[in-house]
């Protein structure tokens, strides 16, 4: 039976007390999209009741980037990258490895129990970046070579548009689903039969300039995902009975 794992890597812009001095005078940076994904944690909580397991972090990505692999050049920000290596290792030990480890362990546990995992990582993106307006309301990021993920995203888009036909839903936008990210890492650890990894990206305009639409967008995402999960689990149950 399909199990839904929900994560939110950029839920907040908290800086642990031991590192507050590093960020003095950088309050504006912390409040920007570089500090966290505006609205992501709210959306995560809205749909969390659908999940079998949930994990979120409110530590700022400016301390360490939970959605990057251990050797990625952007693992540390320009604020923390100059720290001595022992201090960076301590940050990894205290904040990066525990979060990533518990999520990976949960996937492993589900797989060992004979379950297939659907992992949705909740993110938001800025309406404009480097002068370019992002032409999407919702992005579904996945590896197009993985048929199960591709088919799931196609179905989710159809159901989303049933609930709100005005939404512009795009695949692998504004980022590529094969770019470095937590689901990308987990796809290499588990087979397609064991794990489906998708990053959900929602335009931050719904949290800022179009705030009046935000509750409806969240509900469209929740209701469509609920319906899709119901359909998939019903199909799996029928298939098991036929076997």
């Amino acid at each position: 039976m399909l199990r839904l794992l929900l994560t939110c890597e950029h839920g907040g812009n908290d800086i642990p007390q031991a590192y507050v001095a590093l960020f003095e005078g950088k309050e504006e940076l912390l409040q920007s999209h570089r500090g966290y994904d505006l609205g992501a944690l709210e959306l995560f909580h809205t749909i969390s009741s659908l999940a079998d397991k949930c994990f979120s972090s409110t530590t700022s990505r400016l301390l360490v980037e939970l959605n990057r692999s251990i050797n990625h050049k952007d693992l540390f920000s320009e604020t923390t990258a100059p720290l001595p290596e022992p201090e960076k290792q301590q940050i990894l030990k205290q904040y990066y490895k525990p979060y990533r480890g518990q999520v990976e362990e949960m996937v492993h546990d589900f797989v060992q129990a004979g379950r297939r995992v659907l992992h949705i990582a909740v993110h938001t993106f800025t309406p404009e970046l480097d002068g370019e307006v992002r032409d999407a309301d919702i992005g579904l990021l996945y590896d197009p070579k993985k048929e199960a993920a591709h088919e799931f995203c196609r179905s989710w888009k159809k159901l989303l548009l049933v609930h709100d036909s005005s939404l512009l839903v795009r695949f692998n936008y504004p980022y590529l689903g094969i770019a470095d990210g937590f689901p990308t890492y987990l796809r290499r650890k588990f087979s397609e039969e064991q794990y489906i990894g998708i990053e959900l990206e929602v335009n931050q305009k719904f949290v800022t300039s179009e705030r009046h639409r935000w509750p409806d967008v969240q509900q469209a995402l929740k209701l469509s995902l609920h319906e899709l999960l119901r359909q998939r689990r019903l199909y799996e149950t029928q298939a098991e009975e036929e076997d």
Side-chain angles (χ1 to χ4, degrees):
M1 186 69 72
L2 190 68
R3 292 291 181 258
L4 176 61
L5 171 64
L6 204 65
T7 68
C8 183
E9 285 69 50
H10 304 145
N13 56 1
D14 297 340
I15 298 296
Q17 188 60 41
Y19 303 98
V20 166
L22 283 175
F23 291 89
E24 287 183 359
K26 298 183 178 181
E27 290 76 18
E28 186 175 342
L29 180 64
L30 281 167
Q31 291 296 328
S32 74
H33 73 278
R34 296 193 59 208
Y36 73 120
D37 280 0
L38 185 65
L41 192 63
E42 182 182 351
L43 175 58
F44 169 83
H45 287 311
T46 295
I47 61 179
S48 62
S49 61
L50 303 179
D52 295 284
K53 285 294 180 179
C54 299
F55 298 95
S56 63
S57 171
T58 59
T59 301
S60 176
R61 66 204 302 180
L62 291 170
L63 183 75
V64 64
E65 173 55 275
L66 298 179
N67 201 38
R68 294 290 173 263
S69 297
I70 194 74
N71 295 318
H72 195 278
K73 62 181 180 61
D74 296 325
L75 182 63
F76 292 99
S77 69
E78 68 270 25
T79 303
T80 53
L83 289 172
E85 191 60 30
E87 288 191 44
K88 288 195 284 188
Q89 289 301 319
Q90 182 59 33
I91 290 173
L92 293 176
K93 180 180 178 181
Q94 195 165 355
Y95 300 101
Y96 179 88
K97 292 179 179 179
Y99 180 85
R100 302 260 302 200
Q102 65 183 349
V103 175
E104 184 173 346
E105 183 178 2
M106 182 52 60
V107 176
H108 179 268
D109 289 348
F110 276 137
V111 168
Q112 287 296 105
R115 306 294 185 254
R116 191 182 206 184
V117 178
L118 170 64
H119 173 202
I120 298 177
V122 180
H123 297 272
T124 63
F125 63 92
T126 56
E128 183 177 328
L129 184 66
D130 298 331
E132 178 184 349
V133 176
R134 262 77 176 272
D135 187 23
D137 296 322
I138 294 172
L140 300 176
L141 279 53
Y142 62 95
D143 183 347
K145 293 181 180 179
K146 306 291 186 181
E147 179 55 34
H150 182 47
E151 198 275 328
F152 186 91
C153 287
R154 277 192 311 228
S155 298
W156 196 4
K157 177 179 179 178
K158 288 179 182 178
L159 286 171
L160 266 169
L161 295 179
V162 168
H163 289 279
D164 188 340
S165 60
S166 70
L167 290 172
L168 178 55
V169 183
R170 296 183 63 178
F171 298 141
N172 288 317
Y173 183 91
Y175 312 106
L176 294 177
I178 57 174
D180 185 63
F182 200 7
T184 306
Y185 163 82
L186 290 170
R187 286 188 212 114
R188 293 194 293 266
K189 303 286 288 189
F190 300 94
S191 71
E192 186 177 5
E193 289 69 35
Q194 297 170 330
Y195 173 85
I196 303 171
I198 295 167
E199 288 189 64
L200 168 64
E201 289 276 359
V202 180
N203 199 316
Q204 292 175 8
K205 69 180 183 180
F206 296 120
V207 193
T208 55
S209 61
E210 299 183 24
R211 182 74 192 184
H212 63 285
R213 294 186 62 194
W214 185 220
D216 290 338
V217 171
Q218 292 186 75
Q219 283 304 305
L221 283 161
K222 181 178 181 178
L223 293 173
S224 59
L225 180 57
H226 178 268
E227 176 63 17
L228 187 50
L229 289 170
R230 188 192 68 79
Q231 291 176 3
R232 292 305 168 91
R233 287 165 175 165
L234 179 61
Y235 173 80
E236 288 180 353
T237 299
Q238 293 174 340
E240 288 177 359
E241 290 175 351
E242 291 175 0
D243 289 342

